[in-house]
Each structure stands twice: as structure tokens, then as C-alpha cells.
Amino acid sequence: MTHDYKRNGTTTLFAALDVLTGSVIGQCLPRHRHSEFLTFLRTIDRQVPKGMEIHLILDNYATHKHPNVKAWLAKHPRFRLHFTPTSSSWLNMIEGFFAQLTNKAIRRGAFASVPDLIAAIDAYLTATNTSPTPFTWTNTAEPDPRKGSARPRNLSAITK
């Protein structure tokens, strides 16, 4: 951020990455409460073909475990939630997507309002889903000879 940066509001992007295709279901909502998470789950439910199981890997944020969320999930058994251990790298794929979104669509942007920010995010999601590319592991778990320990697992998307 520069010295003259002015924040004009925020949004919360909920995103679900299909690891096989690289496509993303994304939705900007005003906050990150259980009610917004339920709205996003309903969006996923509408967009994923009926009959398919949906496995979501989530962090341990309380929003994901709210009683209303648990009640909704009990009525939608095709959803399977998997919670990551603390300090886990299981979320690297979606974090890689968020990093690309930030670098390609948000950083250095000047957004006069939250709707302008959401429009930029939506445009990036549309472009990503027009020609999705799966994320792939670029490093192995082989020991790094310089450090004597396993290399971190990094993700990247193959760009076309």
C-alpha cells in the first residue's frame, strides 16, 4: 500500500476450488458469519450436479461449525466437511488461487467502492472459469540437500 492508499470498504470472498478442473465457485458476501457461509453452501449445492458428493476442506473457523451450519449439513448428506489440523498445508491450493487473484486482479487496483472491488473479483472468476487449469504440485517431498529437510510443497497453475 502506498502512503495515499484509501480503503473504501471490504468484502469476503468465499471460494470453492475444483481440484480436478481448476474451476472455482466464488461468491462475495459482506461478512464471514455462519449465515453467509450457509448462503455459499447453497450456491455450491445449486452449481454442483445433483448426485455428486462434495468434499470441502476447511479451516477450523467457528463459522464452519455453527449449529445452524450443522443442521443444514444434516439435511444435505452429499456434503462432506474435512477440517484441517492447525498449521496444515491442506489449504495450499485455494491459497494459491487467492494469491493469483490478488496479484492479477486486486493488487495495485484503485477501487472506489465495494461494488467496484466485487466487480474486479467477479471478472477474474469469470476469466478463470472460461479456461480453467488445475493446480499442480511443483515441488516434491524429497529432502532439500541444502537444508536436510523436506522441501515445502508449492502449488502453481499452468497458465495458457
Side-chain angles (χ1 to χ4, degrees), residues 5-145:
Y5 171 78
K6 181 182 179 226
R7 187 175 191 165
N8 293 311
T10 63
T11 188
T12 298
L13 172 61
F14 289 87
L17 171 66
D18 181 336
V19 296
L20 296 177
T21 67
S23 64
V24 177
I25 297 172
Q27 186 173 24
C28 290
L29 296 168
R31 296 178 64 188
H32 192 134
R33 299 172 300 186
H34 78 277
S35 56
E36 285 84 5
F37 184 57
L38 283 169
T39 298
F40 184 58
L41 289 176
R42 290 182 192 105
T43 298
I44 294 170
D45 194 36
R46 283 190 307 273
Q47 291 190 21
V48 173
K50 300 297 179 202
M52 288 185 71
E53 281 191 1
I54 301 168
H55 292 264
L56 300 174
I57 299 173
L58 303 165
D59 60 16
N60 282 291
Y61 196 58
T63 296
H64 304 144
K65 298 178 180 182
H66 190 277
N68 292 352
V69 172
K70 289 180 178 181
W72 187 89
L73 290 167
K75 295 176 185 174
H76 297 84
R78 74 183 187 136
F79 281 78
R80 306 270 194 272
L81 273 55
H82 307 277
F83 294 98
T84 61
T86 304
S87 302
S88 170
S89 64
W90 290 8
L91 296 176
N92 279 354
M93 288 186 188
I94 196 65
E95 289 170 356
F97 169 78
F98 283 134
Q100 288 185 359
L101 166 68
T102 299
N103 290 332
K104 296 179 180 178
I106 297 175
R107 185 168 286 135
R108 294 183 197 85
F111 306 105
S113 65
V114 172
D116 289 346
L117 172 61
I118 292 171
I121 292 169
D122 287 343
Y124 183 80
L125 289 172
T126 299
T128 297
N129 289 329
T130 299
S131 183
T133 304
F135 283 76
T136 56
W137 291 107
T138 57
N139 283 346
T140 67
E142 298 299 319
D144 185 338

